Amino acid sequence: MTERPDQSPITSLRSERVRKVAALAGRSARRKQQSFRVEGPQSIRSLLSQRADLARELFVTARADAAHPELADLARGAGVPVHAVEDQIIRAMVREHDVEDPSSAGPVSSNLGGALVNPQGALALGRLPAEESSAATAAIGALPTQGPVTVVVLHEVRDPGNVGTLIRTADAAGADLVVLTRTCADPYAPKAVRAGVGSLFHLPVVTGAEIDEVLETLGSADIATAATSGYAQDELFTAELPPRLAWIFGNEAHGLDEHTLQAASFGVRIPLAGRAESLNVHTAATVCLFETLRRRQARE
Amino acid sequence: MTERPDQSPITSLRSERVRKVAALAGRSARRKQQSFRVEGPQSIRSLLSQRADLARELFVTARADAAHPELADLARGAGVPVHAVEDQIIRAMVREHDVEDPSSAGPVSSNLGGALVNPQGALALGRLPAEESSAATAAIGALPTQGPVTVVVLHEVRDPGNVGTLIRTADAAGADLVVLTRTCADPYAPKAVRAGVGSLFHLPVVTGAEIDEVLETLGSADIATAATSGYAQDELFTAELPPRLAWIFGNEAHGLDEHTLQAASFGVRIPLAGRAESLNVHTAATVCLFETLRRRQARE
């Protein structure tokens, strides 16, 4: 790191540093500061253990430090400054102007789209990776050139909670890479980071991609591209799924555009057995990705 | 219907009838009025075509009536009163005190937990079914006594958006019945009805159940009960799944209690291939229910 973080204690709720962390709820502030927030012990543990290269600073309360001493240990081991702060400082840092859904803010609830806005006394700052369309090309080029590969491409997924949850599900289903086109919500938005519960740091996630470039690069890497469509002839459970496969998931309201559907190697239909007319994008992705995992395991 | 709905035109935003519909956001008002709200053409179409017996009244704007003439047709065909109203009346009827997440209120976004708060000029009132623990026993008794059956039991699922989304996914995966224990969020809350997108009217959904009674009744009906657990020995994709099967899904934060886990016929582990530590309840349910559907289709 070239810039050395300020080491002085933070005691005022109105300090410039608290204000700057709170501002990271906005995309322009994240770009300007080249930083993003990671809230809560589970996500911070993933950041520090998997992507310490992205970690800038850790803020912990005495209570959180007692409950999760490994956070400060991991941070110090990686040369990341640790700041002891009062709980009210953390709470001021995560105060958002855009009010979160109150029904998901209780101790029990966990709305699918956005986990709790309760950092449990721990907050970290990460270094925002550059958003360049070439990042996708490089990441696809870094995948194994032989053997099974699962890639998830998100195109025009607009809700940050959905983006975070999709990254979490991609991680759980063993995906090797997540590519977001530049029309997606930012996976570094606090709501997306929370919904991802650390998965953002478990597998490569690249942003700013151009869909045509991604499809072409996948093709060159011998990775087939699959899109879900209610009009596809083949059903997911009986379709042949190549071991090197990228799933493309589209917008929440109108799915994938015709151009992208046509450009994909093949389409599959998710069987709907009841009277539901459709599935939301996360449900559809869960079905496709876990069927892919099932096939991968059956082949092994 | 014994009580005849008021037929006079609604013109004032502050009228008692508008206020009463708006109050249906709250559970106590729903119980007192024995009514619930259904918002938007898709959900209303499901109500009127599948469960007209539950429909009380339909409110439509001229624009919604032009775009979806089938709504008023279905209502009249079922003897349900149709009221022409201004758009501002509908908007006043869905105004909620608990603010919804603003990020899911745009034209594009559809947060997983709660669809748009935009009734698109159409709102219906339904008759609230009675909440009795005996309803589950009766509904299980009404299932086919031979052949495959899929039941979904929700126990302590607290978020109305999750409840609605789970009902939608159960419907899509061809479940025959959804049973909610009395500690679940109310599936007739506006947020749950919206997230369900009509599925609430596609298959039997009963509330107010007692978990022990449900497990016992399922056993008597020769329906095995399955619970997901990270500690279970059998993995979902290789486990034997009986054709007559009830899945029990638990609380968002702490899953199923030990008593219920022990009482289930068997437990299965969902394979996690990446570094994600867990899945949220809806993702887990999606994987289990579509694997059940896949097996059902493979046997046919």
Side-chain angles (χ1 to χ4, degrees):
Chain A
M1 277 183 289
T2 50
E3 194 191 333
R4 193 167 168 76
D6 190 345
Q7 297 283 356
S8 58
I10 303 176
T11 50
S12 163
L13 293 182
R14 295 169 185 281
S15 78
E16 173 71 4
R17 287 166 74 197
V18 169
R19 202 193 53 70
K20 283 178 78 174
V21 176
L24 294 174
R27 192 164 194 164
S28 61
R30 287 195 296 278
R31 285 183 175 161
K32 195 170 153 207
Q33 299 182 39
Q34 289 290 301
S35 275
F36 66 98
R37 288 201 312 242
V38 184
E39 303 161 10
Q42 195 175 347
S43 292
I44 295 174
R45 197 157 45 233
S46 290
L47 170 73
L48 292 169
S49 59
Q50 307 295 327
R51 291 302 306 274
D53 61 305
L54 290 182
R56 274 194 203 282
E57 295 184 74
L58 173 65
F59 302 88
V60 273
T61 63
R63 186 200 283 246
D65 193 35
H68 305 283
E70 76 282 8
L71 298 180
D73 290 348
L74 283 165
R76 289 194 191 96
V80 173
V82 179
H83 308 283
V85 291
E86 297 292 323
D87 194 53
Q88 58 178 354
I89 296 287
I90 300 265
R91 276 186 277 125
M93 285 175 164
V94 300
R95 199 182 298 138
E96 293 185 15
H97 293 291
D98 50 322
V99 181
E100 297 279 331
D101 184 328
S103 73
S104 67
V108 156
S109 163
S110 94
N111 193 304
L112 297 164
L116 314 183
V117 190
N118 173 9
Q120 299 171 62
L123 187 149
L125 295 184
R127 178 174 55 76
L128 193 72
E131 180 171 323
E132 302 163 327
S133 68
S134 61
T137 305
I140 294 166
L143 291 170
T145 55
Q146 300 271 318
V149 157
T150 306
V151 176
V152 175
V153 180
L154 304 184
H155 184 42
E156 302 186 342
V157 177
R158 307 281 194 191
D159 180 85
N162 282 347
V163 163
T165 309
L166 283 160
I167 292 171
R168 183 180 178 194
T169 298
D171 176 22
D176 301 284
L177 170 66
V178 177
V179 175
L180 287 84
T181 62
R182 61 179 177 72
T183 49
C184 285
D186 185 2
Y188 298 96
K191 196 178 166 188
V193 178
R194 282 195 294 273
V197 204
S199 288
L200 184 56
F201 314 116
H202 294 171
L203 77 172
V205 175
V206 296
T207 59
E210 296 288 344
I211 187 71
D212 287 333
E213 203 177 318
V214 170
L215 293 174
E216 200 185 306
T217 311
L218 288 165
S220 308
D222 196 26
I223 297 170
T225 48
T228 61
S229 159
Y231 302 102
Q233 208 163 12
D234 289 341
E235 270 204 355
L236 174 68
F237 295 144
T238 48
E240 203 177 309
L241 300 181
R244 293 174 67 81
L245 185 60
W247 284 102
I248 315 168
F249 301 114
N251 179 263
E252 289 91 341
H254 40 77
L256 285 174
D257 58 289
E258 197 55 40
H259 168 76
T260 306
L261 275 175
Q262 292 298 330
S265 319
F266 66 100
V268 294
R269 192 161 34 87
I270 299 176
L272 295 179
R275 290 203 181 87
E277 292 176 29
S278 64
L279 297 174
N280 70 40
V281 61
H282 177 252
T283 308
T286 301
V287 176
C288 294
L289 292 172
F290 275 86
E291 175 64 6
T292 306
L293 174 62
R294 189 186 71 78
R295 304 272 190 110
R296 245 174 115 150
Q297 292 186 338
R299 278 195 303 267
E300 275 165 11
Chain B
M1 277 181 289
T2 50
E3 194 189 334
R4 191 165 169 78
D6 190 346
Q7 297 284 358
S8 58
I10 304 177
T11 51
S12 163
L13 294 180
R14 294 170 186 281
S15 78
E16 172 71 4
R17 287 166 72 198
V18 170
R19 202 192 53 69
K20 281 179 79 175
V21 176
L24 294 174
R27 193 166 194 162
S28 60
R30 287 194 296 278
R31 286 184 175 161
K32 196 171 151 204
Q33 298 183 40
Q34 288 291 301
S35 277
F36 67 98
R37 286 201 315 241
V38 185
E39 303 161 12
Q42 195 175 348
S43 292
I44 294 174
R45 199 160 40 236
S46 291
L47 170 73
L48 292 168
S49 60
Q50 305 297 326
R51 291 302 306 274
D53 61 304
L54 290 182
R56 272 194 204 282
E57 294 184 72
L58 172 66
F59 303 89
V60 273
T61 63
R63 185 200 283 248
D65 193 34
H68 304 282
E70 77 281 7
L71 298 181
D73 290 347
L74 283 166
R76 289 194 191 96
V80 174
V82 180
H83 308 283
V85 290
E86 298 292 322
D87 194 53
Q88 56 178 355
I89 297 287
I90 300 265
R91 276 186 277 123
M93 284 174 163
V94 300
R95 199 181 297 137
E96 292 186 16
H97 293 291
D98 50 324
V99 181
E100 296 280 328
D101 185 328
S103 72
S104 67
V108 156
S109 162
S110 97
N111 192 305
L112 297 164
L116 315 182
V117 190
N118 173 8
Q120 300 171 62
L123 187 148
L125 295 185
R127 178 175 53 78
L128 192 74
E131 180 172 323
E132 301 163 327
S133 69
S134 61
T137 305
I140 294 166
L143 292 169
T145 54
Q146 301 271 318
V149 157
T150 307
V151 176
V152 174
V153 179
L154 304 183
H155 183 42
E156 301 185 344
V157 177
R158 307 281 193 191
D159 181 85
N162 282 347
V163 163
T165 310
L166 284 160
I167 292 171
R168 183 181 178 194
T169 298
D171 176 21
D176 302 284
L177 170 66
V178 177
V179 174
L180 287 84
T181 62
R182 60 180 178 72
T183 49
C184 285
D186 185 1
Y188 297 96
K191 197 179 167 188
V193 177
R194 282 196 295 272
V197 204
S199 288
L200 183 56
F201 314 116
H202 295 172
L203 77 171
V205 175
V206 296
T207 59
E210 295 289 344
I211 188 70
D212 287 333
E213 202 176 319
V214 169
L215 293 174
E216 201 186 305
T217 312
L218 288 165
S220 306
D222 196 26
I223 298 170
T225 48
T228 62
S229 159
Y231 302 103
Q233 208 164 9
D234 289 340
E235 270 204 354
L236 174 67
F237 295 144
T238 47
E240 202 177 310
L241 299 182
R244 294 175 65 82
L245 184 60
W247 285 100
I248 314 168
F249 301 114
N251 179 262
E252 289 90 342
H254 40 77
L256 285 174
D257 58 289
E258 196 54 40
H259 169 76
T260 307
L261 274 175
Q262 292 298 331
S265 319
F266 64 100
V268 295
R269 191 160 35 85
I270 298 176
L272 296 179
R275 289 203 181 86
E277 291 176 31
S278 64
L279 297 173
N280 70 41
V281 62
H282 177 252
T283 308
T286 301
V287 176
C288 294
L289 291 172
F290 275 86
E291 175 63 7
T292 306
L293 173 62
R294 189 186 71 78
R295 305 273 189 109
R296 245 173 113 151
Q297 292 186 337
R299 277 195 303 264
E300 276 165 12

